[in-house]
């Protein structure tokens, strides 16, 4: 399938989560505490924003836009992002992020599950159904395994992955849609990160703060389309940037 890079109509306004709205599984008093603690010195990090897509929306990020100039590796890599899962029909299949149109590796949703696929190997575990959720995936070359993390906890089985990562047809990340998808991710995505090394280990992991860039080759806050480490610009169609983001 060939995507036509034409300016499409943006979707109508939708009830996206408000700025810094909590995950649905967070305690209500956490919001109250956050409000009580707020003062004029709070939130000096990046602007609260995220990116949403229409039915055919997508972004692509080229290898030249990241530190080191490479997205494909035969060694280790890490990818992570936040995604808003409320009001998403999880019986459908969606790409969240993938390498190449042929999906050398991919993170996405398929029939109610989160799926991290590397070649013929896959981690499959239930998808969340509400709120902002952080998903991190790792190909660990040293341990010859792939792992997936949900909200900082190991999610699904650790899967042996001894095969070499397939060479992609093009060295670019596809966000929210890959070339032959029936539809784009129909909700918000925030804080995409990529590294050519292992950033998450063990049964649990620390989710990076907005300002943390150490070890990463690319960080996208989606207050615009730039990689904050290089200034490289993603390109795409059928998206808009809105003033909502995960609560930290």
């Amino acid at each position: 399938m060939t995507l036509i890079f034409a300016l499409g109509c943006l979707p109508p306004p939708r009830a996206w989560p408000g700025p810094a709205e909590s995950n649905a599984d967070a305690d209500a008093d956490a919001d109250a505490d956050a409000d009580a603690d707020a003062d004029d010195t709070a939130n000096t990090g990046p602007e609260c924003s995220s990116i949403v897509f229409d039915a055919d929306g997508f972004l692509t990020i080229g290898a030249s836009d990241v530190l080191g100039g490479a997205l494909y590796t035969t060694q280790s890599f890490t990818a992570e992002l936040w995604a808003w899962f409320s009001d998403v029909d999880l019986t459908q299949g969606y790409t969240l992020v993938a390498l190449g149109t042929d999906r050398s590796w991919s993170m996405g949703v398929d029939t109610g599950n989160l799926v991290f696929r590397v070649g013929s190997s896959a981690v499959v575990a239930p998808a969340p159904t509400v709120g902002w959720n952080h998903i991190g995936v790792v190909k660990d070359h040293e341990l010859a395994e792939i792992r997936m993390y949900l909200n900082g906890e190991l999610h699904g089985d650790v899967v042996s992955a001894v095969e070499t990562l397939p060479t992609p047809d093009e060295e670019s990340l596809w966000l929210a849609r890959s070339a032959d998808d029936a539809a784009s991710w129909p909700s918000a995505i925030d804080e995409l990160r990529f590294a050519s090394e292992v950033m998450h280990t063990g049964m649990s992991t620390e989710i990076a703060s907005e300002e943390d860039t150490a070890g990463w080759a690319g960080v996208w806050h989606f207050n615009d389309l730039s990689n904050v480490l290089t200034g490289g610009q993603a390109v795409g169609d059928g998206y808009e940037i809105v003033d909502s983001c995960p609560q930290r």
Side-chain angles (χ1 to χ4, degrees):
M1 168 183 173
T2 301
L3 287 176
I4 299 174
F5 288 73
L7 181 62
C9 294
L10 293 178
R14 284 174 277 187
W16 301 112
E21 184 171 331
S22 69
N23 292 340
D25 59 354
D27 295 332
D29 60 353
D31 289 335
D33 290 344
D35 290 340
D37 292 340
D39 59 31
D40 58 2
T41 65
N43 193 19
T44 59
E47 176 185 350
C48 180
S49 59
S50 57
I51 190 167
V52 298
F53 298 89
D54 68 17
D56 298 314
F58 66 95
L59 290 183
T60 60
I61 297 165
S64 62
D65 293 340
V66 301
L67 291 178
L71 293 164
Y72 174 72
T73 175
T74 59
Q75 305 298 304
S76 300
F77 71 83
T78 302
E80 64 176 54
L81 52 73
W82 288 87
W84 178 258
F85 277 79
S86 294
D87 305 317
V88 175
D89 180 3
L90 296 177
T91 66
Q92 304 300 309
Y94 300 106
T95 297
L96 288 167
V97 62
L99 178 62
T101 60
D102 56 348
R103 298 180 182 86
S104 176
W105 62 261
S106 64
M107 175 209 300
V109 173
D110 187 17
T111 59
N113 291 309
L114 287 177
V115 181
F116 172 42
R117 191 176 303 279
V118 178
S120 62
S121 302
V123 179
V124 181
T129 58
V130 291
W132 282 109
N133 289 272
H134 184 272
I135 307 161
V137 295
V138 175
K139 177 185 179 293
D140 191 323
H141 179 72
E142 181 177 352
L143 298 180
E145 62 188 31
I146 57 176
R147 302 185 296 273
M148 181 163 60
Y149 295 84
L150 178 63
N151 298 323
E153 302 294 330
L154 189 68
H155 192 53
D157 294 331
V158 175
V159 172
S160 175
V162 297
E163 65 180 318
T164 300
L165 180 67
T167 305
D169 61 344
E170 62 175 35
E171 198 174 355
S172 59
L173 293 179
W174 286 69
L175 186 69
R177 191 181 192 207
S178 193
D180 60 353
D181 289 352
S184 303
W185 175 249
S187 194
I189 291 176
D190 196 20
E191 200 71 21
L192 172 67
R193 291 169 178 260
F194 175 82
S196 297
E197 59 183 277
V198 173
M199 302 296 285
H200 302 302
T201 60
M203 297 294 293
S204 63
T205 187
E206 183 177 352
I207 299 171
S209 71
E210 298 97 321
E211 296 85 0
D212 184 5
T213 60
W216 297 99
V219 177
W220 295 265
H221 294 310
F222 296 123
N223 53 356
D224 56 29
L225 299 185
S226 65
N227 178 355
V228 300
L229 302 177
T230 67
Q233 296 288 315
V235 297
D237 192 18
Y239 64 85
E240 65 177 323
I241 293 172
V242 299
D243 60 349
S244 66
C245 63
Q247 182 180 18
R248 297 289 186 153

